[in-house]
Amino acid sequence: MPIIYNAEKKQFHLYNDSISYIMELFNNEFLVHVYFGKRINSFLQENPYPMKDRSSFSPNPTGWPNRDFSLDNTPQEFPGYDTGDYRESICEITFPDGTKAVGFKYESHKVYSGKKKLQGLPATYTVEDSEADTLEITMTDSSRKIKAILSYTIYKERSVITKSVKYKNIGEKTVYLNKALSSCIDFQDADFDLLQLPGSWANEKQIKRDRLTMGIHTLDSKRGASSVAQQPFIALLRPNTNEFNGEVYAFHFVYSGNFIIKTEVDYFEQTRVLVGINTYNFTWKLEPDEAFQTPEVVCVYSNKGLNGMSQTFHKLYIERLARGKFQLEERPILINNWESTYFDFNEKKLLDFTKKAKDLGVELFVLDDGWFKDRNSDTTSLGDWIVDNKKLPNGLLHLAKRVKETGLKFGLWFEPEMISEDSDLFRKHPDWHIQVENYPLSQGRNQLILDFSKEEVRDNIYNQLVDILDHVPIDYIKWDMNRNMTETGSIHRSPDQQMETMHRYILGLYELLEKLTSRYPNILFENCSGGGGRFDPGMVYYMPQSWTSDNTDAIERLKIQHGTSLIFPPIMACAHLSAVPNHQVGRVTDVKTRAAVAMAANFGLMIDLEKETSKDIDKIQESINWYKNNRSLLQFGDFYRLLSPYDTNYSAWMIITSSKESGVLFFFEILANGNKPYKKVKLVGLEPNAIYEVENQQLTGEELMEYGLYLNHTLLGDFQSKVIEFRKVGLVN
């Protein structure tokens, strides 16, 4: 069993072939963090952290006989508040007397096979109990009548530990959780670089790596969504770590709302990492016998660099986070009409559009924004999910049938969480949106946010969608969300529970998504939030793919998709071949390069085929045919980053089958320069003794990995690309 409790040493050891996670009970009370990293077969030390009086300013626990032990410097798993540890706490609770001091001590533990579901929350899972084991440790402050059940799951064949906490009020009076985080890990040194994925609209998941320094570094979202500004992710890297070598400790929060990740380096050069729901606009009223379940944190360790980390995330998220029919099913090539028509379309225009798409080999047509009642701009109609009979006089059902008669599947855009002030729903229910009563509202894209913390609001939207989905043969839904929260409040909720609104909203969203995806298992749901504004692991649980960015420029996408690939596999990141000049940045890029970038993800088109030259149409058709022939590899193969557009004038990545039988190399040269240096790229992940056919040559895996290929000497001009297939044809004698 990969979880061992040594009763003599009071030590917990979670392990598999790759990793070890070790904790111990000091004085049978305090849960101390000992180790997280590469597998240690036998850990023989007991209480290895030195006990020494380091300062009179570091207090000692109540009743401690001397000054050699202080929580102020001890590495902990569950640090309390105002009880001697002045570092950031994992929780903050206001008790009936108005004070907050709380310290948790060990009560009991249990180990079991498998992994429980988190009530109302997305999380990684097991199919068979034998895949993983779970440790639950109950910590209690008996004076304060509060428990915390710490949950740790270790997968047997993945370099992954998942963590969450359930807080329970065991007293007779109400308490208030002001902070209820999910995970704490105390590293006993600070020799790290900190890697994060900040961004903005049309510029998501940009890689930033900095030296970790003394003090507190905070990454967060206060927007009511995980946001474009930050991904709920952090990685600590050893300074010499690169793509393929060195240690990485990564943390990803399975949640779609406000989050906080704090990394604190103390004066003893120790590092604390805390992950959980943001304390901003958060307080949770916890009545007697009630419990509060926190979302899950996925903790990944890699000693094979960033690519090792990425492949762990990729396989976990494909195999044990995504669910349903489409989890392991090849995804269709789609065409979306948005950048071709915007709001200006009618049935004839759409049917002409779909016929040309079908002739090219497209498999799915997606009707984007503008199909519902009076929706001729982004100023109106959200909340009224009724077809616009002026644009579509024969109705949505007729259009869907006509599209399907061409041989295409039919998809539809929704933004169900939003409401326009100019809508029938708003006029009927002005109290149904997020707001502070009798207080001015900020404006955001001419829309407000429906209060999904209310059951009657969710039920209304659910019934509107069901009325469409039960009668129109829809194969795909693009679920969009284009505004973040302001003036956060919920009409008719009691004052002492107003700060529960943001979290209750997310719980309500998850409940609605669970109902819809369960009722319509044959609909492929795609997550979108103005691009990647809520592309997080929480949404992956309900929707197996996400629109990566509204920025469809191929060159900008090199960085966006490179950053996204750190944590999400290509099949989850959607990319479209779009028109030039590009609608976001105005760049003109060759169709071959635009196609290559898009085909390195979940491939689609957002282009007006009427306006393309016959030469480019031929190239697009060639790309579609090629993608279909390689789709299984591209969507489910092992992904490797080779060259970074953040560091060089190039970008390169490759995808290979797990059997190492075949693969594809994508190479991009961004800007041309006179008498340029020749660029060589070394492949990775091949079978050294295998012979691969590459560009009409037969080369060994060893020479492709150790020597590589020269790739840019035949390229001329800016924004050039090469797509190179290779396949195993034999073995070295």
Side-chain angles (χ1 to χ4, degrees), residues 15-20 37-39 157-159 301 303:
Y15 66 91
N16 58 30
D17 289 343
S18 302
I19 58 174
S20 286
K38 186 178 178 181
R39 167 69 189 273
E157 296 182 359
R158 305 177 194 272
S159 296
Y301 170 77
N303 62 353

Side-chain angles (χ1 to χ4, degrees), residues 507-541:
L507 293 177
L509 171 64
Y510 289 154
E511 179 191 276
L512 178 60
L513 292 176
E514 186 68 35
K515 286 174 66 176
L516 287 168
T517 54
S518 298
R519 181 168 180 146
Y520 303 104
N522 294 320
I523 293 179
L524 172 59
F525 284 78
E526 180 175 310
N527 167 50
C528 178
S529 177
R534 201 169 59 188
F535 186 174
D536 58 61
M539 295 305 288
V540 168
Y541 188 75

Side-chain angles (χ1 to χ4, degrees), residues 77 176 216 268 427 436 463 507 622 631 638 721:
E77 282 290 322
Y176 291 87
I216 299 172
F268 294 120
R427 285 183 280 271
V436 174
N463 290 330
L507 293 177
E622 288 174 10
R631 175 163 32 196
D638 295 336
S721 64

Side-chain angles (χ1 to χ4, degrees), residues 449-466:
I449 303 177
L450 285 168
D451 187 355
F452 270 25
S453 71
K454 294 182 175 181
E455 185 176 9
E456 65 268 29
V457 177
R458 299 194 303 272
D459 287 347
N460 177 281
I461 296 302
Y462 176 77
N463 290 330
Q464 286 197 61
L465 298 186
V466 164

Side-chain angles (χ1 to χ4, degrees), residues 371 385-387 396 412 414 462-474 520:
W371 60 267
W385 299 105
I386 303 167
V387 69
L396 202 57
L412 199 59
F414 288 94
Y462 176 77
N463 290 330
Q464 286 197 61
L465 298 186
V466 164
D467 192 50
I468 295 171
L469 300 179
D470 275 358
H471 299 96
V472 180
I474 291 173
Y520 303 104

Side-chain angles (χ1 to χ4, degrees), residues 181 196-198 218-234 251-262 274-280 295 297 502 506 533 535-536:
L181 303 187
Q196 57 176 300
L197 295 172
T218 300
L219 307 179
D220 73 352
S221 173
K222 305 178 183 74
R223 297 170 175 267
S226 51
S227 89
V228 294
Q230 278 290 351
Q231 177 66 199
F233 161 84
I234 195 173
F251 307 90
H252 209 183
F253 194 36
V254 187
Y255 188 64
S256 305
N258 290 351
F259 71 89
I260 192 164
I261 302 176
K262 284 196 173 184
L274 291 158
V275 184
I277 296 172
N278 203 330
T279 57
Y280 177 83
V297 181
M502 281 184 157
I506 295 298
F535 186 174
D536 58 61

Side-chain angles (χ1 to χ4, degrees), residues 107-221:
E107 179 183 303
S108 63
H109 74 272
K110 64 179 179 179
V111 177
Y112 56 87
S113 296
K115 187 176 190 290
K116 295 178 183 177
K117 288 186 176 181
L118 297 187
Q119 184 175 0
L121 289 165
T124 57
Y125 58 87
T126 58
V127 174
E128 302 290 341
D129 285 348
S130 59
E131 293 176 34
D133 287 300
T134 297
L135 166 68
E136 289 184 2
I137 301 176
T138 299
M139 305 288 289
T140 305
D141 186 323
S142 57
S143 298
R144 292 298 203 176
K145 305 299 182 184
I146 192 85
K147 284 183 185 289
I149 298 107
L150 285 55
S151 178
Y152 302 78
T153 295
I154 181 166
Y155 284 86
K156 292 185 178 178
E157 296 182 359
R158 305 177 194 272
S159 296
V160 172
I161 302 278
T162 67
K163 301 176 66 177
S164 66
V165 179
K166 180 184 286 187
Y167 297 85
K168 187 172 182 180
N169 182 357
I170 58 172
E172 297 178 354
K173 296 182 180 180
T174 300
V175 301
Y176 291 87
L177 301 178
N178 308 305
K179 180 200 290 186
L181 303 187
S182 298
S183 171
C184 173
I185 292 185
D186 280 350
F187 295 94
Q188 293 156 32
D189 70 289
D191 189 22
F192 295 113
D193 290 349
L194 186 154
L195 187 146
Q196 57 176 300
L197 295 172
S200 61
W201 176 78
N203 194 37
E204 294 91 339
K205 296 179 180 64
Q206 302 292 298
I207 296 175
K208 190 169 186 348
R209 177 175 176 171
D210 300 288
R211 185 69 178 147
L212 186 61
T213 57
M214 186 77 69
I216 299 172
H217 188 103
T218 300
L219 307 179
D220 73 352
S221 173

Side-chain angles (χ1 to χ4, degrees), residues 693-698 709-711 722-726:
E693 187 173 308
V694 186
E695 293 192 308
N696 299 316
Q697 304 177 78
Q698 290 194 352
L709 296 169
Y710 282 103
L711 294 178
K722 271 191 171 185
V723 178
I724 299 171
E725 296 180 64
F726 53 91

